Amino acid sequence: MPRIFDGLKVLDFGWIGVGPITARYFADHGATAIRIESLTRFDGLRMAPPYKDAKPGLNNSQFFANFNASKMSLGLNMAHPEARAIAKRLCLEWADVITEGFTPKQMRAWGLHYDDLAPTRPDLIMVSTCQLGQTGPYSMYAGYGNMAASLAGYYEITGWEDRGPCMVYGAYTDMLTPAVGAALITAALDYRQRTGKGQWIDLAQFEVGVHHLPATVLDYTVNGRVATRRGNQDDRACPHATCPCQGENRWLSIAVFTDEEWRALVAVMENPVWAQTERFATLAGRKANEEEVNQHVAEWTTTQDAFALEAQLQHAGVAAGVVAKQSDLFADPQLQDRGFFAWCDHKVMGRTPYDGLMSQFSKTPGQVAPAPLLGEHYEEILGDILQYSEEQIADLIGQGVVEMHLD
């Protein structure tokens, strides 16, 4: 069955998260995507857990595999001039789209910057997605998404008001930026189809992070208010809390926005005496006594099964949701019904689960394929695409230009 990006060729110089996840979107939907990587300076994610059977190895990280599914891999020692020449041939003779995530100096140092390539390939599309952008006083600062999340203000507003800033789990902007990058590349492809011209996309992870906090930024610019940590509080709801339930580390989030929802919650709690108090009857009253409300509700939820209570409250019209563990996702009826997780046979790890497609196309459905071993496709890429002879390929391997790790 045809896929929406059949025939598109993506050359991925990405690193860790943003570039690889962005390129994977196109690979899952039909594009041929080649991941350029190195054994000498391998992507740090190749040695990041979780590992198959808890054994570290360059081809045993499901973290790397999940971000690089459906791609081919070519290992090049970019310190070698011949490796840079091979990479440049792929840019000029093969690629439609190039993704890279280095600080601004690196692609220039290799002679692979957009300015170096565009005179020969004016239809080429390149997206550069380093942490802080290609220009500005801090553009040369390298970093990861957890740092960009801190710079964008996420940590200042995450946590409890009587405690220090709290990190948002993971490299947060690594999760926000790829979908933006995929949309921008798709727009550039549309522009190229209409005009025959490519272009360079400067996608700063820092700025994507700021764009995802519009309400707090607007509140400062319009009202002069600076958002900070408030735990789980919300001006429009009470209770608005995450409460402990029966079992080990089980939690349920509950949000009550109206007095009608409050009465529904009280009914589910079987009308305890404390909840009949007049000062809790209105949102203003509950907000004035929020700590006491939360304490009473939490004492009650500790006697309840989280999943059963979630269903009961939702049925009563009260917003409630279990705080899901990763293991819960594989039992989630919604994800199961949509067949979200894709199980693929990796050449070293065997059958392992991958995150599913980010979107579903009704006429051109995508498909997830396993991630490559480091340098696995050197013969197809060098021989079939670039027309190197077997002797030339063997010589490149012998010189250490072409690298691989296949076990």
Side-chain angles (χ1 to χ4, degrees):
M1 185 173 291
R3 289 186 281 175
I4 195 74
F5 290 115
D6 278 345
L8 183 70
K9 292 167 282 191
V10 179
L11 195 57
D12 177 14
F13 288 89
W15 178 262
I16 303 290
V18 175
I21 298 171
T22 304
R24 185 196 150 177
Y25 180 82
F26 295 92
D28 286 344
H29 289 281
T32 301
I34 295 176
R35 176 69 197 275
I36 300 296
E37 49 184 333
S38 168
L39 179 60
T40 306
R41 299 188 66 176
F42 55 82
D43 186 336
L45 215 57
R46 278 200 175 272
M47 287 301 291
Y51 308 109
K52 175 70 174 179
D53 298 327
K55 295 178 180 177
L58 289 173
N59 291 317
N60 219 36
S61 166
Q62 188 60 25
F63 202 166
F64 175 88
N66 199 42
F67 287 1
N68 290 278
S70 308
K71 301 179 187 176
M72 303 169 77
S73 171
L74 176 64
L76 293 174
N77 181 357
M78 295 294 282
H80 200 295
E82 188 62 27
R84 298 195 292 275
I86 292 170
K88 194 162 190 173
R89 283 193 62 193
L90 286 168
C91 293
L92 295 177
E93 301 173 23
W94 181 79
D96 297 301
V97 175
I98 296 171
T99 61
E100 63 94 4
F102 300 107
T103 53
K105 64 182 180 181
Q106 191 57 60
M107 294 299 272
R108 290 189 187 279
W110 287 338
L112 300 176
H113 189 271
Y114 182 78
D115 293 341
D116 300 314
L117 304 174
T120 305
R121 281 289 311 280
D123 63 333
L124 193 63
I125 295 167
M126 176 181 282
V127 57
S128 298
T129 176
C130 64
Q131 181 177 238
L132 295 170
Q134 298 296 306
T135 58
Y138 307 133
S139 60
M140 290 298 178
Y141 288 4
Y144 298 95
N146 43 7
M147 301 169 193
S150 178
L151 291 169
Y154 285 84
Y155 299 177
E156 173 60 28
I157 62 173
T158 304
W160 303 95
E161 56 188 341
D162 59 344
R163 304 176 197 176
C166 185
M167 178 181 175
V168 182
Y169 171 75
Y172 196 60
T173 58
D174 280 21
M175 306 301 113
L176 298 176
T177 308
V180 176
L184 296 175
I185 291 171
T186 305
L189 287 168
D190 175 70
Y191 176 79
R192 187 177 79 162
Q193 188 173 37
R194 290 184 283 112
T195 66
K197 299 176 182 177
Q199 56 186 306
W200 183 32
I201 303 168
D202 177 0
L203 179 61
Q205 298 171 32
F206 177 26
E207 293 170 3
V208 172
V210 174
H211 269 284
H212 283 76
L213 287 173
T216 57
V217 174
L218 186 64
D219 198 26
Y220 172 68
T221 55
V222 174
N223 302 316
R225 287 194 291 258
V226 179
T228 188
R229 298 172 296 286
R230 301 181 59 199
N232 290 320
Q233 290 186 21
D234 187 292
D235 290 337
R236 302 162 301 160
C238 183
H240 189 275
T242 298
C243 307
C245 294
Q246 288 179 340
E248 184 178 356
N249 198 26
R250 276 294 179 197
W251 301 81
L252 182 73
S253 293
I254 299 173
V256 173
F257 290 89
T258 67
D259 295 341
E260 181 181 4
E261 291 172 3
W262 168 250
R263 290 190 290 272
L265 173 63
V266 172
V268 173
M269 290 190 294
E270 299 180 342
N271 302 302
V273 173
W274 69 263
Q276 310 300 319
T277 307
E278 185 63 25
R279 58 196 170 97
F280 295 148
T282 64
L283 175 61
R286 291 191 296 279
K287 291 297 292 184
N289 300 279
E290 187 161 16
E291 185 174 349
E292 185 180 355
V293 172
N294 287 340
Q295 183 177 351
H296 280 301
V297 173
E299 288 174 355
W300 170 67
T301 59
T302 56
T303 66
Q304 307 293 314
D305 175 81
F307 289 95
L309 185 56
E310 174 191 64
Q312 193 176 5
L313 288 173
Q314 289 180 1
H315 181 72
V318 177
V322 169
V323 178
K325 303 177 183 179
Q326 298 304 304
S327 54
D328 295 330
L329 301 181
F330 287 86
D332 185 276
Q334 179 68 17
L335 293 177
Q336 284 189 347
D337 185 77
R338 290 174 59 82
F340 176 73
F341 290 107
W343 290 78
C344 300
D345 292 317
H346 186 272
K347 287 190 174 179
V348 168
M349 291 188 284
R351 194 162 179 78
T352 51
Y354 290 73
D355 288 350
L357 303 171
M358 285 195 282
S359 56
Q360 304 285 345
F361 288 83
S362 62
K363 294 183 173 61
T364 57
Q367 184 176 359
V368 180
L373 310 183
L374 199 165
E376 177 182 348
H377 300 97
Y378 71 94
E379 289 179 306
E380 296 95 321
I381 297 167
L382 297 176
D384 298 343
I385 295 176
L386 296 180
Q387 299 294 301
Y388 284 93
S389 68
E390 292 184 3
E391 291 75 16
Q392 288 174 313
I393 294 172
D395 186 52
L396 290 169
I397 295 172
Q399 293 181 55
V401 173
V402 174
E403 302 176 317
M404 68 200 73
H405 185 84
L406 303 180
D407 53 25

